Amino acid sequence: MTPPAAVGTSTLPHAALGASALFQAYVASDPEAAGFYRHAPFEAPARAEAARLAAAHAAHRDAVADVLAEQNRAWDADDDTLDLVETLRDPEAVAVVTGQQLGLFAGPLYTVYKALTAVRLADRLGAETGRPVVPVFWLADEDHDFAEIRRAVFSNGPDVRAAAYDDGLDPVANRGMVGRMVLDDEAVRRALTELDAGLPRGAFHAEAAGMAREAYQAGRTMRDAFALLIRQLAPGLVLMSADDARLKRLAAPLFRREIADWTDTFDRLGARSAALEAAGFHAQVQPSPLNLFWVADDGRRLALDPTEAGIAVRGTDTLFTEAELLDRLGAEPERFSPNVVLRPLMQDTLLPTAAYVAGPGEAAYFAQLGPVYEAFGVPMPVIEPRLSLTVVEPGVAKVLDRYALGVPDLRGDLAPLWKRLALAASAHDLGGAFAEARRHLAEVEARLDAVVPEVDATLAQTLGATRARMDNALDRLETKTVRAEKRNHDVVRARLERAAAALWPGGALQERTLSPLQLVALHGPEVIASLVHAVDLDASVHHVVQP
């Protein structure tokens, strides 16, 4: 069943959702921010020039295409995807690239938004330039930060629930490259059980859970499971893993230069970082002396640290001279893995990258990399921000409309908002009304106190009891009325909590938290592609979408 396209869209400035000053300035095409990048975003001439440079620089088309064909067949690629791989052999072809860590059950929503933005940008760039353009998703399977990828989050009514992959080890333990992790039977079974319980009970709940079960099977690697699921959620992409000895050999000259001249990279990064901070922006990445990891025999990915005695493998007794390390690079390039600085250069060495689709954090660190691209002789692509979306379900939309709220209003502590809305929802000043009633009752009681004993002194005790009953009756009425008003206020609170759980689960923006399977469970497997294609291809704003 194909879900309907978005029936309502609006936009918000990124500033309203907490974006950094650098990202705000970049998407606003501020000249000072733009000066830290090779090409301006959102401009067809800049994309065309980046495509020209990328096509001319590509030196490994056939070798890379051979690897990608093999990889994508293993991930159930259809004929159209394999045709895209073959397109990369064309000397005029370029790529629009994006990528992400291998989050459990396809990671947070923005992972799929990035992938689908790349598909749309590839179509646009092809139309603008007449070139063949291939969208490529770089699987960040060499990353070793397991703690960042082990959970999938869902909003279920007022609750925010999670499914976690728990293999019994400390989540921050270095397991090596997460893409190589083989899914354990018991751990994946528990994660799938938690997924089933956490997903909202929408019309497509069973289908969403089934997609996860089909991809995440014991004995399969984390990389392969992620690849199989992301292909279903974001069709039309070529997937790519750099954890391949053949690709590492192609990138070996890049690694060789870094080993031999890491001080130049370090100095360039330091100077650019200082310039960013002097301009009032931030440096996203802390420069490291050597931007490579060593892959140990046990699979752990360990930093390489230059010392006076040589180049040390962090956390071990292993020490290489520069010559020894270069010899190992020649013999075993698969032992080397780039860090966040060198990874984009490896990507753009292997692929004819005209544009890279980046999230806000990535866009910020690319601002630091311009001088490094220049030093390595690699053309820097256009950094195109990904589409950013918040999906507002019908029930949440009713809450926003009822109380005249926007998405930013539900960010953070709800207590002040609840108090304001609860007071506004009350048509009566209960405190004032009962205070006035007590004043009138006191006046009545005072008049009775003056009259009744004069008529019959023996009625004084009866008068006191009557006064107490009247006071108690008013107290009981006030208590019941206040309780009823509190119930009304609690309804307001519950509505706000449900809406906040959907829009800001755990206090973070929806797209950065919720699993894409959340939307699949509610609307079907095609919903995310439908929503992303329903909004304007405009990443300078945040899109609010009602399915």
Side-chain angles (χ1 to χ4, degrees):
M1 176 178 177
T2 301
V7 296
T9 64
S10 59
T11 62
L12 291 168
H14 289 288
L17 304 173
S20 71
L22 176 58
F23 187 70
Q24 291 180 50
Y26 185 59
V27 298
S29 299
D30 177 87
E32 191 162 26
F36 291 104
Y37 298 85
R38 174 70 183 272
H39 306 282
F42 315 133
E43 295 182 7
R47 287 190 291 269
E49 174 63 7
R52 184 187 68 79
L53 294 170
H57 179 74
H60 307 296
R61 290 182 181 275
D62 288 337
V64 171
D66 289 343
V67 174
L68 294 184
E70 178 184 305
Q71 290 182 349
N72 281 266
R73 286 192 191 97
W75 299 320
D76 294 345
D78 57 18
D79 289 343
D80 289 342
T81 302
L82 295 176
D83 286 344
L84 285 172
V85 172
E86 293 304 306
T87 297
L88 286 170
R89 300 182 192 273
D90 186 331
E92 294 300 313
V94 295
V96 173
V97 184
T98 194
Q100 193 58 42
Q101 292 169 291
L102 310 183
L104 182 67
F105 302 136
L109 273 164
Y110 73 76
T111 300
V112 185
Y113 296 161
K114 287 176 77 175
L116 292 168
T117 302
V119 173
R120 290 194 64 184
L121 279 169
D123 289 342
R124 184 172 71 179
L125 183 58
E128 289 172 349
T129 64
R131 291 178 179 274
V133 183
V134 178
V136 178
F137 189 97
W138 182 285
L139 301 167
D141 52 351
E142 294 189 76
D143 189 271
H144 61 266
D145 195 341
F146 173 76
E148 285 194 4
I149 63 102
R150 64 183 290 265
R151 298 171 74 249
V153 177
F154 312 96
S155 169
N156 202 326
D159 300 322
V160 178
R161 303 179 183 179
Y165 185 88
D166 183 1
D167 58 4
L169 299 177
D170 186 339
V172 300
N174 189 336
R175 293 162 172 77
M177 301 179 187
V178 295
R180 295 184 183 181
M181 287 177 54
V182 177
L183 296 175
D184 172 75
D185 182 68
E186 182 59 29
V188 78
R189 187 185 304 120
R190 284 196 302 267
L192 288 167
T193 299
E194 292 172 349
L195 167 89
D196 187 72
L199 280 172
R201 296 285 159 175
F204 298 90
H205 176 278
E207 195 161 357
M211 290 171 67
R213 282 195 303 272
E214 183 66 26
Y216 285 78
Q217 297 182 10
R220 187 170 278 165
T221 65
M222 189 71 79
R223 175 191 62 198
D224 292 346
F226 179 94
L228 289 167
L229 185 53
I230 200 73
R231 186 177 295 293
Q232 294 185 70
L233 295 169
L237 284 164
V238 171
L239 305 180
M240 181 175 187
S241 165
D243 186 15
D244 185 292
R246 295 164 294 181
L247 297 180
K248 292 292 179 66
R249 190 165 295 282
L250 296 176
L254 187 77
F255 301 162
R256 183 175 297 277
R257 185 192 187 284
E258 176 66 7
I259 293 169
D261 203 9
W262 63 264
T263 56
D264 181 61
T265 306
F266 185 69
D267 290 344
R268 287 171 180 266
L269 279 172
R272 175 54 66 89
S273 300
L276 277 163
E277 292 170 351
F281 301 126
H282 75 288
Q284 183 77 11
V285 177
Q286 181 66 37
S288 299
L290 180 56
N291 295 292
L292 282 169
F293 291 95
W294 172 259
V295 181
D297 291 340
D298 60 5
R300 287 182 302 157
R301 187 170 175 248
L302 305 170
L304 290 169
D305 295 324
T307 69
E308 291 185 0
I311 299 175
V313 179
R314 187 178 300 175
T316 74
D317 295 329
T318 303
L319 187 71
F320 295 107
T321 66
E322 181 182 304
E324 288 171 339
L325 196 60
L326 290 172
D327 285 344
R328 296 299 294 268
L329 175 62
E332 299 177 279
E334 64 274 14
R335 288 276 201 175
F336 295 79
S337 178
N339 75 352
V340 66
V341 170
L342 217 57
R343 190 213 62 78
L345 281 91
M346 178 181 176
Q347 160 197 293
D348 302 334
T349 295
L350 298 175
L351 294 167
T353 310
Y356 183 82
V357 177
E362 287 176 303
Y365 77 64
F366 270 103
Q368 294 174 263
L369 298 185
V372 181
Y373 270 89
E374 291 175 7
F376 280 81
V378 179
M380 187 174 184
V382 177
I383 307 307
E384 293 276 1
R386 65 167 170 82
L387 285 169
S388 180
L389 284 77
T390 291
V391 180
V392 180
E393 299 292 346
V396 176
K398 289 180 181 178
V399 174
L400 297 182
D401 291 343
R402 184 185 189 103
Y403 300 112
L405 299 174
V407 171
D409 294 317
L410 292 173
R411 182 185 183 195
D413 184 9
L414 293 179
L417 177 63
W418 170 69
K419 290 178 181 178
R420 175 172 66 81
L421 293 178
L423 287 173
S426 176
H428 307 284
D429 177 8
L430 295 183
F434 278 93
E436 182 69 14
R438 284 190 172 83
R439 284 195 296 271
H440 287 302
L441 181 59
E443 291 174 2
V444 171
E445 290 172 343
R447 292 174 63 187
L448 293 176
D449 285 345
V451 173
V452 172
E454 291 185 2
V455 174
D456 186 340
T458 64
L459 294 176
Q461 186 174 358
T462 302
L463 174 62
T466 300
R467 288 183 58 181
R469 285 196 297 273
M470 288 191 295
D471 289 342
N472 290 337
L474 186 60
D475 288 342
R476 287 195 300 274
L477 178 60
E478 182 178 26
T479 298
K480 290 180 179 181
T481 305
V482 169
R483 188 180 297 134
E485 185 73 351
K486 185 177 183 298
R487 283 197 299 272
N488 293 337
H489 292 179
D490 287 343
V491 168
V492 176
R493 184 201 293 270
R495 287 171 178 158
L496 294 179
E497 288 175 347
R498 291 175 70 91
L503 301 177
W504 296 92
L509 192 60
Q510 179 194 88
E511 65 177 20
R512 302 197 62 82
T513 308
L514 292 186
S515 167
L517 293 176
Q518 167 100 15
L519 294 184
V520 173
L522 295 172
H523 303 288
E526 300 173 21
V527 63
I528 304 177
S530 176
L531 295 176
V532 170
H533 282 81
V535 302
D536 290 337
L537 189 52
D538 179 8
S540 69
V541 292
H542 180 87
H543 299 268
V544 179
V545 184
Q546 296 183 30

